[in-house]
């Protein structure tokens, strides 16, 4: 039984590593659970055999009333920053000059750096003695932190015991790295928090910090935390592994088994830690800038947040020579991205009216630079969000601008709240057309009831209709549409097609040439596909995919306009809400009028593009759902391959789904497919099917 227990611990350790560190499990969850249960049984019979590195011992430590403090044997320092290229050049020059002064670097030789991501989480130190995790601590002030051992033990990617041959394990190893939360996990956590009437976290970093500082580890265990290793503290190797020749004199790094940052990280990876896969050894500022640029471009697509990149002199003997200044190493620098969050004053709140009448409250801000762009407006999402965050006019607020998304107000800074603030009263009438604003029960969004009477809705409907995925009319921009609507010259989509060059040229900033181009573009837009025309109408809940499904099903516009809700729900992709919205749209007189006028002005949809090319037997009429990231195809690419072969791609998994194509980070759709017993393919499987 003792032997079986050791076997089980070994196997579970291995599978945990495959799953959480390598992201490449080799057994099913149910098999893992069965092994774990077997181990639990043996341990129940023999409590004296339970050790702290047993896979059963991740959760369960008793809550504490406060964290004990921990003195770091090797301090946990911070990093100096470089905010632009000139600061980076200066850093590289300081490093090179210092090394040249010691005769360690040739006059024309460049310094090699290990470039890494700068994770936006919390620094943590994990101490292993004889291969077993004995302590986890926060950074604290760099010299003393807090003992959070019970909490770090619950993080699945933190090994309780190192991987590899135990004879190679260090006697003491302190691994340093960052604890963070993936963006998607953070969103899900926040939703759960709100459902349970708890406060939402402002960002993944705060959520990770709040989770790590729980006094009850059972709460931490429920939080989706991850650990990335990027460094080390104290290390003592077993005598057999010591490499006395690595360093000529006793330094910070005496005792380490490898001579470079990159080799040390490879080693940590072999010992079972997640180490960033994007790291690279580079030399010369140009290569560093290139790494920075590429990282900045790819940043929005990463599953976690980073706030820059870090360059560390790769050779450890060079690191030792360079040493430290104050509290930061001279051998490393953080090349930061422009901040994505900052604070500014909220001057007022206006509302914006969207295409479907949705009323969005918008914060007017004292101009502030966020993420390299000056921001004066930020969304407050809806009335409930303003209440929930308790944002008031006059407050200093945190503004966030992540990637290309619209800037948003995250929260007020309560410590800076002035005595006089003004509560915002949500309007009951549309500021543009004065129609009543309504809020349907259970919906967060309030809407202007003015429909196309409302100039704001009209402008945006027109903008939608001429957009790239709809009628695709080049040169008809927001400004011109605004002028045409304000002049009452264009009241609906059909009116656009009655514009001529001469009159267009009379609008401000329109020359004869641009007027001619607009007229030409309008003429070219008169024969859209049926799907594009349906999409252009801007029916609520009818996006590109639904428009396509409707076009394919009805084949002509007249049939669609007559369809009842009962007929509509028969179509894949169309549920009762969408069906009601479509039927309601075509029942409205003014919409029917516009359709009649569109015909008058010569809008004639082409018949749906039927795919004549190579319709594969295997795919004809089959329904696919795509989920996760595929190794080589984007989702759009996979979709177009499937459609070209006669298949159909829908958004959600149901009994009607024939295949689910799953990539990495596939979530609930994959689980649902497994529950329903639907065939699951990876990219290769899909390619094989396409080829057959
Ligand atoms: S090295 C002696 N590497 O940034 C060098 N830090 O601003 C110590 N961080 O406290 C840090 N990613 O929390 C290092 N790849 C990385 C990092 C990283 C994120 C954090 C860490 C540190 C802070 C310093």
């Amino acid at each position: 039984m003792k032997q079986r227990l050791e076997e089980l611990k070994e196997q579970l350790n291995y599978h945990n590593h495959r799953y959480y560190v390598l992201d490449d499990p080799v057994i099913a969850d149910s098999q893992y659970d069965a092994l774990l249960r077997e181990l639990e049984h043996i341990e129940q019979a023999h409590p004296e055999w339970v050790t702290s590195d047993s896979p059963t011992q991740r959760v369960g430590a008793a809550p504490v009333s406060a964290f004990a403090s921990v003195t770091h044997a090797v301090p946990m320092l911070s990093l100096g920053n470089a905010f632009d290229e000139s600061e980076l050049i200066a850093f590289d020059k300081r490093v090179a000059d210092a090394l040249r002064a010691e005769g360690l670097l040739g006059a024309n030789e460049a310094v090699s750096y290990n470039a890494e991501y700068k994770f936006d989480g919390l620094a943590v130190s994990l101490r292993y003695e004889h291969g077993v995790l004995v302590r986890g601590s926060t950074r604290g002030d760099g010299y003393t932190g807090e003992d959070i051992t019970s909490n770090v033990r619950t993080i699945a990617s933190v090994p309780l015991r190192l991987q590899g041959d135990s004879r190679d394990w260090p006697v003491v190893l302190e691994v340093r790295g960052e604890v963070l939360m993936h963006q998607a996990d953070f969103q899900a956590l926040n939703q759960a928090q709100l459902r349970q009437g708890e406060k939402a976290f402002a960002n993944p970093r705060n959520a990770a910090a709040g989770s790590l500082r729980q006094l009850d580890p059972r709460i931490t265990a429920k939080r989706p935390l991850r650990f990335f290793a990027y460094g080390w503290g104290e290390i003592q190797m077993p005598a057999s592994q010591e490499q006395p020749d690595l360093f000529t004199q006793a330094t910070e790094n005496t005792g380490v088994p490898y001579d470079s940052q990159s080799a040390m990280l490879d080693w940590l990876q072999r010992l079972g830690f997640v180490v960033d896969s994007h790291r690279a050894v580079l030399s010369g500022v140009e290569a560093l800038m290139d790494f920075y640029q590429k990282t900045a471009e790819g940043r929005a697509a990463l599953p976690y947040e980073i706030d820059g990149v870090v360059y560390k002199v790769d050779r450890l003997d060079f690191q030792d020579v360079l040493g430290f200044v104050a509290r930061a190493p001279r051998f490393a620098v953080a090349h930061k991205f422009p901040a994505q969050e900052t604070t500014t004053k909220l001057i007022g709140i206006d509302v914006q009216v969207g295409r479907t009448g949705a009323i969005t409250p918008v914060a007017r801000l004292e101009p502030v630079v966020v993420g390299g762009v000056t921001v004066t407006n930020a969304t407050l999402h809806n009335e409930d969000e303003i209440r929930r965050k308790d944002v008031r006019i006059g407050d200093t607020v945190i503004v966030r601008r992540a990637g290309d998304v619209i800037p948003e107000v995250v929260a007020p800074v309560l410590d800076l709240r002035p005595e006089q603030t003004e509560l915002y009263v949500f309007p009951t009438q549309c500021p543009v057309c004065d129609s009543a604003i309504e809020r349907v029960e259970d919906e967060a969004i309030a809407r202007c009831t003015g429909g196309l009477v409302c100039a704001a809705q009209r402008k945006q409907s027109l903008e939608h209709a001429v957009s790239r995925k709809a009628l695709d009319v080049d040169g008809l921009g927001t400004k011109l549409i605004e002028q045409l609507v304000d002049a009452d010259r264009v009241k609906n989509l059909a009116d656009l097609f009655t514009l001529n060059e001469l009159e267009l040229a009379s609008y401000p900033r329109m020359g004869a040439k641009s007027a001619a181009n607009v007229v030409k573009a309008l003429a070219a837009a008169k024969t859209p596909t049926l799907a594009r025309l349906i999409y252009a109408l801007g029916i609520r809940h009818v996006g590109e995919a639904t428009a396509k499904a409707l076009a394919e099903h009805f084949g002509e516009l007249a049939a669609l306009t007559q369809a009842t809700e009962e007929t509509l729900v028969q179509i894949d992709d169309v549920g009762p809400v969408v069906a009601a919205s479509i039927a309601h749209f075509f029942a409205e007189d003014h919409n029917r009028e516009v359709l009649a006028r569109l015909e008058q002005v010569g809008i004639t949809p082409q018949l749906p593009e039927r795919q004549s090319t190579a319709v594969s037997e295997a795919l004809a009429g089959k329904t696919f759902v795509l989920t996760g990231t595929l190794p080589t195809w984007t989702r759009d690419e996979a979709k177009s391959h499937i459609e070209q072969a006669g298949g159909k791609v829908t958004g959600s998994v149901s009994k009607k789904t024939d295949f689910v194509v799953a990539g990495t980070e596939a979530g609930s759709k994959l689980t649902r497919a497994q529950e329903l017993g639907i065939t699951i393919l990876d990219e290769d499987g899909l390619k094989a099917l396409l080829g057959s």
Side-chain angles (χ1 to χ4, degrees), residues 241-488:
Q241 300 282 313
E242 262 178 30
Q243 305 210 25
D245 299 339
L246 270 183
F247 297 90
T248 46
Q249 39 186 301
T251 65
E252 287 283 341
N253 280 318
T254 322
V256 300
Y258 296 94
D259 61 0
S260 67
Q261 174 76 22
S262 47
M264 284 294 284
L265 293 186
D266 291 340
W267 179 56
L268 293 181
Q269 196 160 5
R270 289 196 299 276
L271 289 178
F273 295 90
V274 182
V275 177
D276 175 27
S277 58
H278 303 89
R279 65 203 162 94
V281 178
L282 306 167
S283 48
V285 170
E286 208 174 301
L288 301 182
M289 279 308 290
D290 201 45
F291 182 82
Y292 175 83
Q293 219 59 53
K294 288 222 170 68
T295 305
E297 281 157 23
R299 179 187 188 191
L302 291 172
Y304 44 74
E305 297 200 333
I306 57 176
D307 55 349
V309 297
V310 184
Y311 315 117
K312 300 173 183 167
V313 170
D314 197 39
R315 276 180 62 165
L316 299 187
D317 55 343
F318 284 8
Q319 288 194 3
D320 285 334
V321 165
L322 290 159
F324 298 82
V325 253
R327 312 199 45 203
R330 237 189 237 112
F331 58 78
V333 76
H335 192 180
K336 300 272 284 251
F337 295 132
Q340 292 196 302
E341 258 183 36
T342 186
T343 57
T344 188
K345 195 127 181 175
L346 176 64
I347 313 165
I349 297 177
D350 293 337
V351 295
Q352 237 167 34
V353 189
R355 175 166 67 80
T356 56
I359 304 281
T360 309
V362 177
R364 303 288 170 222
L365 306 167
E366 262 175 21
V368 66
V369 179
V370 198
V373 170
T374 303
V375 168
T376 49
N377 302 318
T379 181
L380 282 158
H381 300 291
N382 57 54
E383 188 179 3
D384 292 349
E385 284 285 284
I386 301 178
R387 277 289 105 75
R388 184 173 72 70
K389 293 173 179 162
D390 185 24
V391 174
R392 303 182 195 174
I393 299 162
D395 268 337
T396 295
V397 292
I398 301 171
V399 182
R400 180 182 175 77
R401 182 184 159 271
D404 292 331
V405 304
I406 302 166
E408 62 166 349
V409 171
V410 178
V413 183
L414 292 178
D415 288 345
L416 298 179
R417 174 165 283 173
E419 273 176 32
Q420 294 290 320
T421 52
E422 194 188 321
L423 277 177
Y424 177 66
V425 184
F426 207 80
T428 52
Q429 273 165 322
C430 174
V432 178
C433 71
D434 226 23
S435 305
I437 288 178
E438 252 178 15
R439 201 175 141 182
V440 177
E441 218 180 318
D442 288 344
E443 270 188 29
I445 304 293
R447 282 175 206 281
C448 158
T449 53
L452 293 182
V453 168
C454 178
Q457 293 188 49
R458 221 168 344 150
K459 286 173 190 169
Q460 295 192 55
S461 305
L462 289 168
E463 242 184 274
H464 166 79
V466 301
S467 66
R468 204 175 45 79
K469 289 180 173 175
L471 299 185
D472 192 16
V473 185
D474 257 356
L476 204 56
T478 311
K479 268 270 148 347
L480 182 58
I481 289 177
E482 219 170 278
Q483 288 161 358
L484 291 165
V485 171
D486 289 342
D488 235 5

Side-chain angles (χ1 to χ4, degrees), residues 185-200 222-223:
D185 293 335
F186 158 73
Q187 304 287 2
L189 171 65
N190 260 359
Q191 272 163 22
Q193 289 282 105
L194 291 177
R195 267 200 308 275
Q196 289 154 19
E198 307 269 348
K199 194 168 133 292
K222 292 195 190 119
R223 303 286 172 80

